[in-house]
Amino acid sequence: MEPDRPENGCFRIVDVTRPDSVRAAADHLARWTGGQLDVLFNNAGVLYMGHHETISLELKKRTVDVNLIGILNGIDACFDLLKATPGATIINISSASALYGTPELAVYSAKKAAVGALTDALNIEFEPLGIHVCDVMALYVRTPMITSSPVAAASVSRLGVHITPGRWPGWSGGPPTAGGATGRWAR
């Protein structure tokens, strides 16, 4: 797909761990949209499954860098665009594992819980600016992050993978339902 064509929209591939990469994409977007952004779909995530002691410290740090710092970089890079747009929304992608620490996903669960707390706090903080902040806490989604992992957490086989991107169970044009994902609208 070619970027920056009216039928494709405007997009850039970025390294969410690098603020300069995310900022360059936001600056490009600002030129494309006249300095506004209706929705920041803030999706940054990597997943390394296995017992805590079997996952290298390097991969644990990468999980923090992508899953939390990547979300922060997206918000910071797009903040002025969102502030300039009446009714703007930030949708942070979290995980159902944020609700309860999940064995074999300990660092992932912790970082997604941090995304949830960040979402709640920023929704209150940004309300006077007219920016709504919410998150989506999906269960396992059929993506290479799950299907290509060399190790599968026990919860993957126990709960199954019932969400396929683009085909949310129970979705009839509204937001995803508890049948596939939980939308947690921060108060």
Side-chain angles (χ1 to χ4, degrees), residues 5-100:
R5 297 188 58 198
E7 65 272 17
N8 296 335
C10 170
F11 67 91
R12 286 288 181 266
I13 295 172
V14 300
D15 178 346
V16 298
T17 66
R18 293 185 35 233
D20 59 320
S21 177
V22 182
R23 171 67 61 198
D27 290 346
H28 177 78
L29 178 69
R31 289 188 299 276
W32 180 263
T33 65
Q36 294 193 323
L37 179 60
D38 293 311
V39 177
L40 170 60
F41 188 78
N42 213 1
N43 185 18
V46 294
L47 171 64
Y48 304 103
M49 293 185 267
H51 289 276
H52 188 76
E53 72 277 4
T54 66
I55 300 170
S56 71
L57 183 58
E58 178 183 330
L59 292 180
K60 292 171 190 166
K61 287 179 176 181
R62 178 159 170 70
T63 300
V64 173
D65 285 345
V66 172
N67 295 10
L68 181 59
I69 303 303
I71 293 287
L72 290 170
N73 287 339
I75 293 167
D76 289 354
C78 294
F79 182 74
D80 290 337
L81 300 172
L82 293 158
K83 196 166 92 171
T85 309
T89 299
I90 299 170
I91 303 172
N92 292 324
I93 301 304
S94 184
S95 168
S97 71
L99 299 172
Y100 184 82

Side-chain angles (χ1 to χ4, degrees), residues 88 105 110 177 182:
L105 307 175
T177 65
T182 302

Side-chain angles (χ1 to χ4, degrees), residues 135-150:
D135 59 4
V136 175
M137 303 177 92
L139 298 171
Y140 295 115
V141 178
R142 189 170 286 109
T143 64
M145 194 162 79
I146 297 295
T147 60
S148 298
S149 177

